[in-house]
């Protein structure tokens, strides 16, 4: 088991009320498999616990996502980091997540690399 933190993510919503309407936004993340010399650890072994560093009404951290070892789906599918309603979307929001990689027993040693994609979407 290895732990770490996602680098801080800052979302700045500068849309006018007319542009955004009654919408907010959502930030999600999804990981690729970790690979090393032809070996891989699937992304369902990576989980997270999101956090909002700038709390305010209408700004909510996503639900924790458990790893496959803990019976969860991991981040092989998209997981929500945070979301904002029309009320919570204004200004800048700082987000982070505690990451947890649980490597299966019998995984060959090595330097494994992978990527995580973090995406921002408007929500109507």
């Amino acid at each position: 088991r290895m732990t770490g933190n996602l680098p801080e993510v800052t979302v700045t919503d500068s849309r006018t009320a007319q542009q955004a309407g009654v919408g907010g936004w959502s930030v999600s993340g999804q990981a690729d498999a970790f690979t090393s010399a032809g070996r891989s650890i699937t992304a369902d072994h990576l989980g997270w616990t999101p956090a909002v560093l700038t709390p305010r009404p209408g700004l909510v951290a996503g639900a924790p996502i458990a790893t496959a070892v803990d019976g969860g789906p991991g981040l092989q599918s998209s997981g929500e980091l945070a979301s904002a309603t029309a009320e919570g979307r204004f200004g800048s929001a700082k987000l982070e997540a505690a990451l947890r990689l649980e490597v299966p027993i019998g995984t060959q040693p090595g330097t494994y690399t992978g990527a995580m994609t973090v995406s921002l979407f408007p929500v109507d």
Side-chain angles (χ1 to χ4, degrees), residues 49-70:
T49 302
V52 173
L53 301 177
T54 51
R56 61 178 176 258
L59 185 56
V60 180
I65 296 181
T67 68
V69 172
D70 289 333

Side-chain angles (χ1 to χ4, degrees), residues 23-51:
W25 50 258
S26 176
V27 175
S28 63
Q30 183 173 355
D32 294 333
F34 297 87
T35 59
S36 174
R39 301 179 300 257
S40 69
I41 300 169
T42 54
D44 59 343
H45 289 89
L46 179 66
W48 71 6
T49 302

Side-chain angles (χ1 to χ4, degrees), residues 75-117:
L75 288 167
Q76 68 181 351
S77 297
S78 183
E80 188 172 67
L81 178 60
S83 63
T85 63
E87 177 185 21
R89 72 168 187 83
F90 291 104
S92 292
K94 295 187 183 298
L95 317 170
E96 72 174 3
L99 299 173
R100 186 177 53 265
L101 179 64
E102 296 183 323
V103 180
I105 294 174
T107 299
Q108 294 296 313
T111 300
Y112 288 77
T113 59
M116 176 180 285
T117 302

